[in-house]
Amino acid sequence: MSGGHHHDHGGGHHGHEPALHGHHHEPGFIGKYLFSVDHKVIGVQYTVTALVFLLVGFSMMLIMRWQLARPGEAVPLVGSLLSQLGITHAQTKALTNEGYNMLGAMHGTIMVFLGVVPLAVGGFGNYVMPLQIGAKDMAFPKLNMMSYWVYLSGGIVMMASFWANGGAAQSGWTSYPPLANTALSGQTWWLVGMVLLITSSLLGSVNFIVTIMHLRAKGLSMWRLPFFVWAQFVTAFLLLLAFPPLEAAGVMQLMDRVAGTSFFMPEGLIVSDKPTAWTGGGSPLLWQHLFWFLAHPEVYVLILPAMGIVGEIIANNTRKPLWGYTTLVYSIIFLGFMSFIVWAHHMYMTGMGTALSTFFQATTMIISVPSVIILTCFIISLYGARIRYNTPMLFALAFLPMFAIGGLTGLPLGLAASDIHLHDTYYVIGHFHYVVAPGTIIALFAGIYYWFPKVTGRRMSEFLGKLHFWPTLIGMNMVFGPMFFVGIVGVQRRLWTQTDYQLGQMTQYWVVFSSVGAAVLGLGQLPFIWNFFSSIFAGRKAEQNAWEATTLEWAAAPSPPPHGNFLADPVVVCGPYEYSVPGSPKDYCPQCQTSEA
Amino acid sequence: MSLLAQTQPMYWLPPDYSTHGWQIDQLINWMHVFMAVLFVGWGAFFTQCLVKYRYRRNPTALYEPIKAKASKVVEAAVVVIEVVLLVAFAIPVLAEYKNDPPKPEDNPFEVHVVAQQFAWNIHYPGPDGKFGKRNPKLVSDANSNPLGLDRDGDPDAKDDIVGNNEMHLPVGRPIIVKLTSKDVIHSFSVPMLRVKQDTVPGMEIPVWFTVKEGTSSDAIRETMIRTVAVPAAGANPRDFVLWCTNNIAVEDIKGSDGTVIVGKGREPSAEHLEALQKAGIGEIRVAPRHPVEIHCTQLCGITHYKMRGFVILMPPDEFETWYAEQAAGGDEFIEE
Ligand code: HEM
Ligand SMILES: [Cu+2]
Ligand SMILES: [Cu+2]
């Protein structure tokens, strides 16, 4: 990467330049790669850390899937190692009940808060968004750096909790009291970790909002923003508005655990045949309200950036404008608003009255409409296209039917009557995984293949990319597809084994099938890991505009972009997806005119 | 997959023995039809585009946005169908399930359930029809008083019947179950009766339902008979043990000399294997001991996965006999 000297300082067409650009010296190794304030370095740090966490979360699930398919049998390879943490049994080396609950709770937490969100927002958002809006950096580069380090500390606290007395948290990623309040010390670590992670997201979200509002290149009006930037913008608002209640709730639960308060504890609890010390008077359901007030918007935090990525890649590889760009933008804004008033659809079984549940059923049906519109826009975008089937496009296309399955299966869960049968069964696990795994994760892979040449200046191998794509798509469907059928039969989730139950026995064949799928999925990641690392050093060199794209990160910034991003300030002259403009010599017209490749 | 052969696979909704469940099933089924139609519709258009608009086949992409009336139609249809599902099905079904408690003249039978880690305490009022007060201060599993009843001081509690994990119910009569928990949140779920309700400590939440007349656990068991293969000597007994768990032999399983290896109604287990193999028995027929199970659907701690209860459905007269016996046979029974 080149140094930080060449960018000019006259530019700030929106008033303030980021503080970063005040100093001129070349940062040393530590300043450049470790405690960097450059959004690109931070983006890469986020990406790499989040990918590692995704692998960790996935590995936990492989262990659990072993247990589900082969209940009570020694965990292969790591069985002995894990017995030191109480995750596996000292003698049999099989997963213990506690171990299963630990891995389950940590899988959920890691995947959501340490994997997908940091990758989608901290990684892609940080790296790509400033480039796409023609900014030299984020508005508050130091805040940005702090956000990463707070995130990493949160991650370390979470992982360290495996060594806590009694092991890591075991109360699910939802941590419902009173169970979570009465749990061992791992839960306290979980709460501290969560407070750090939430703080990190809050720092990030403020930065994203200010950056998008104030640091756009000349000529880049809001209605010329790439769809990805819009998605990040709405996401940032969701994070900013949804996380504070959970942060408060987290602190309250922490107080219940360590300071003897009773926010979530009712009177007269008797645990393990002994009265508990809490005075009572609190409400366990209060936690659920606070938690889901965050956690429903959170699912849109998981999905919106993915939609943004898919939008970019579809426009680029259909070689035509995204169909219904304005509709798409309004849809995600509407989704954002609505996501704040559907939370209690997670709580139909808590004894809620019919008036309240009618309200939440109605809002839930309403929120499905923009999702249908978004999907429809993407699919219509394919009409009349000139589709290039490269690896990013394959992943982006696969996102569409996968997200459709995830979204549609939310409907029966959104109606309280059908939810009576389906609530807290494997159907739920199938539903949200189709949204976040074959959905979001697939879109994130698409994004990695798409922006890799920008970040490294080299391309990933197409052959290995396809070798990654097919087993991933097939493996994911093998893992998650059967869950709908297990769930519809009525088998509940979060079980160490379902084979004690009649309905569980009658669906165990699916469980085995699903575990085989997890192995396929795992093996399918090897080409990716190899491709990722080998391409950094030995990939084919990429041009500045490797995909012949219109948006600024490709049109105006070198690959990789230098400190300060652009050689000259880009000036935007048109909308984001001017592909195949009739009469134009090339099939794409970049958004800006300066610094053409 | 050997497992497929040995169990009786189930593919969709489990059988339903409640009078209200068909409405839930109908809603679930219609929703899946609707979802399938949408998905296939989208999918057809999608695949057509993927094939037709390949890079090589289509020399130039379309710049002008097409006027896609179809998308408006699809979106309008989705809205209409969702409104219909919501207004015509979901809301009324839920209202009936939640807002229509059985009236006293329908002679409902009331039973209380107190969940705890990791068991269901079933509390019947006894012959006087009155529930004794549950006093948290008296609760003691160690002294066999899991509910904290005051047997001596409280006249209502004297004849109360307390069960553990086995909930006997008469069919054809409205049932009211009042649910609470001693410790953490559990969820009382009986898939084959289409009932689910969280049990929240500090709250008492009722559910009600009626079991279809003419059914009984004994009759249901007959419909769930399965064959389980006996593994060869030296082979892994894993599957055999799994598929026999909580199942009972539907007939006496006898060796060639006529000795009974597993008696009718007993659970076959690993210890019977040798004898079964010696007798050259290739497979045995079993059925669930109690086919209608109570699941706890809320993560409630370490052995959440074992928090299984049973609903034992009885014809009304049989139930009355059973109930009278329980009341006469001492103040309490703890099974299992
Ligand atoms: C890609 C591979 C993945 C596999 C094989 C997998 C598998 C599973 C399974 C089987 C469960 C249910 C465990 C149980 O109920 O006992 C589960 C739970 C869960 N998963 Fe995943 N998952 C994957 C990816 C993800 C991703 C990407 C996310 C989120 C972004 C995620 C979030 C969750 C959450 C929140 C839970 C619930 C945890 C809880 O019960 O507290 N998973 N996963
Ligand atoms: Cu939700
Ligand atoms: Cu429970």
Side-chain angles (χ1 to χ4, degrees), chain B residues 15-19 124 166-173 175 188 190-195 209-221 224 289-294 310-320 322:
Chain B
D16 160 45
Y17 299 102
S18 71
T19 54
Y124 304 88
E166 296 192 1
M167 184 172 184
H168 295 250
L169 292 178
V171 304
R173 180 173 164 190
I175 310 285
F188 175 84
V190 189
M192 299 213 306
L193 297 177
R194 303 294 188 272
V195 169
F209 54 89
T210 305
V211 183
K212 281 181 196 159
E213 250 166 296
T215 41
S216 71
S217 286
D218 291 337
I220 296 169
R221 187 180 308 115
M224 292 176 77
R289 180 193 304 277
H290 298 306
V292 182
E293 294 181 326
I294 305 173
F310 303 102
V311 180
I312 296 151
L313 303 175
M314 298 175 138
D317 48 340
E318 224 175 274
F319 176 78
E320 292 307 331
W322 174 85

Side-chain angles (χ1 to χ4, degrees), chain A residues 292 295-296 299-300 342-343 345-346:
Chain A
W292 287 112
H296 192 89
V299 305
Y300 292 93
V342 297
W343 80 89
H345 62 204
H346 299 271

Side-chain angles (χ1 to χ4, degrees), chain B residues 228-243:
Chain B
V228 175
V230 177
N236 193 329
R238 169 206 303 136
D239 291 352
F240 175 83
V241 174
L242 282 184
W243 311 132

Side-chain angles (χ1 to χ4, degrees), chain A residues 200-522:
Chain A
S200 153
S201 279
L202 288 176
L203 293 175
S205 62
V206 179
N207 211 348
F208 274 58
I209 293 170
V210 175
T211 304
I212 295 173
M213 301 230 276
H214 289 294
L215 299 185
R216 297 192 310 276
K218 201 164 160 193
L220 187 58
S221 64
M222 289 305 269
W223 287 111
R224 284 177 173 176
L225 284 179
F227 183 58
F228 177 78
V229 177
W230 270 111
Q232 291 286 342
F233 192 54
V234 176
T235 303
F237 275 100
L238 294 184
L239 287 172
L240 185 66
L241 299 176
F243 260 136
L246 186 67
E247 182 134 39
V251 173
M252 283 154 81
Q253 194 180 100
L254 201 58
M255 291 302 115
D256 274 10
R257 290 180 55 85
V258 301
T261 58
S262 231
F263 289 111
F264 303 123
M265 301 302 271
E267 237 176 299
L269 279 199
I270 296 163
V271 177
S272 310
D273 217 19
K274 281 191 216 65
T276 57
W278 283 277
T279 51
S283 155
L285 294 188
L286 174 63
W287 167 271
Q288 295 190 23
H289 282 291
L290 294 172
F291 180 85
W292 287 112
F293 185 81
L294 155 94
H296 192 89
E298 179 77 6
V299 305
Y300 292 93
V301 170
L302 299 171
I303 198 69
L304 287 179
M307 288 173 169
I309 293 171
V310 168
E312 294 302 302
I313 295 173
I314 285 190
N316 178 253
N317 290 300
T318 52
R319 313 306 291 164
K320 64 191 280 285
L322 215 47
W323 191 85
Y325 168 81
T326 354
T327 314
L328 280 169
V329 171
Y330 280 122
S331 296
I332 61 172
I333 294 175
F334 185 63
L335 264 183
F337 274 110
M338 289 302 293
S339 73
F340 284 100
I341 48 170
V342 297
W343 80 89
H345 62 204
H346 299 271
M347 298 170 60
Y348 290 140
M349 296 306 128
T350 55
M352 173 190 298
T354 44
L356 207 58
S357 66
T358 301
F359 174 79
F360 283 105
Q361 293 181 80
T363 55
T364 303
M365 291 301 113
I366 293 172
I367 204 174
S368 71
V369 175
S371 309
V372 168
I373 294 179
I374 291 169
L375 205 57
T376 308
C377 286
F378 281 156
I379 292 180
I380 293 181
S381 294
L382 302 176
Y383 186 88
R386 198 163 179 232
I387 302 174
R388 300 192 305 204
Y389 284 111
N390 46 37
T391 310
M393 186 60 166
L394 286 178
F395 277 98
L397 288 171
F399 169 85
L400 302 177
M402 297 298 104
F403 174 68
I405 295 176
L408 288 171
T409 50
L411 294 175
L413 298 168
L415 295 180
S418 32
D419 196 40
I420 293 170
H421 184 64
L422 299 173
H423 183 79
D424 258 331
T425 64
Y426 262 98
Y427 194 90
V428 178
I429 309 282
H431 153 66
F432 73 70
H433 280 93
Y434 263 91
V435 177
V436 293
T440 298
I441 298 267
I442 284 227
L444 293 174
F445 278 133
I448 290 176
Y449 285 99
Y450 184 64
W451 280 302
F452 189 92
K454 179 54 53 185
V455 178
T456 62
R458 291 177 188 274
R459 287 169 179 275
M460 290 174 83
S461 149
E462 276 290 313
F463 170 73
L464 289 175
K466 281 165 191 163
L467 203 61
H468 174 217
F469 172 73
W470 289 107
T472 301
L473 184 65
I474 293 168
M476 292 243 190
N477 282 288
M478 283 175 71
V479 177
F480 300 114
M483 293 185 185
F484 292 122
F485 298 98
V486 176
I488 220 158
V489 167
V491 178
Q492 68 275 46
R493 60 193 278 204
R494 294 169 161 171
L495 298 179
W496 182 78
T497 177
Q498 64 179 46
T499 50
D500 272 11
Y501 295 82
Q502 296 303 328
L503 298 178
Q505 292 174 356
M506 288 189 278
T507 48
Q508 178 68 8
Y509 64 99
W510 276 129
V511 173
V512 176
F513 181 83
S514 180
S515 293
V516 173
V520 171
L521 182 56

Side-chain angles (χ1 to χ4, degrees), chain A residues 54 57-58 61-62 64-65 68 100-101 103-113 115-117 171-175 302 424-426 429 432-433 435-438 440-441 476 479-480 483 492-496 514 517-518 521, chain B residues 299:
Chain A
L54 282 178
F58 176 67
M61 197 36 81
L62 284 179
M64 292 168 74
R65 291 258 38 131
L68 292 172
Y100 186 87
N101 288 352
L103 294 186
M106 294 309 281
H107 161 77
T109 307
I110 288 173
M111 286 304 203
V112 174
F113 297 107
V116 173
V117 175
S171 308
W173 82 291
T174 48
S175 286
L302 299 171
D424 258 331
T425 64
Y426 262 98
I429 309 282
F432 73 70
H433 280 93
V435 177
V436 293
T440 298
I441 298 267
M476 292 243 190
V479 177
F480 300 114
M483 293 185 185
Q492 68 275 46
R493 60 193 278 204
R494 294 169 161 171
L495 298 179
W496 182 78
S514 180
L521 182 56
Chain B
L299 177 63

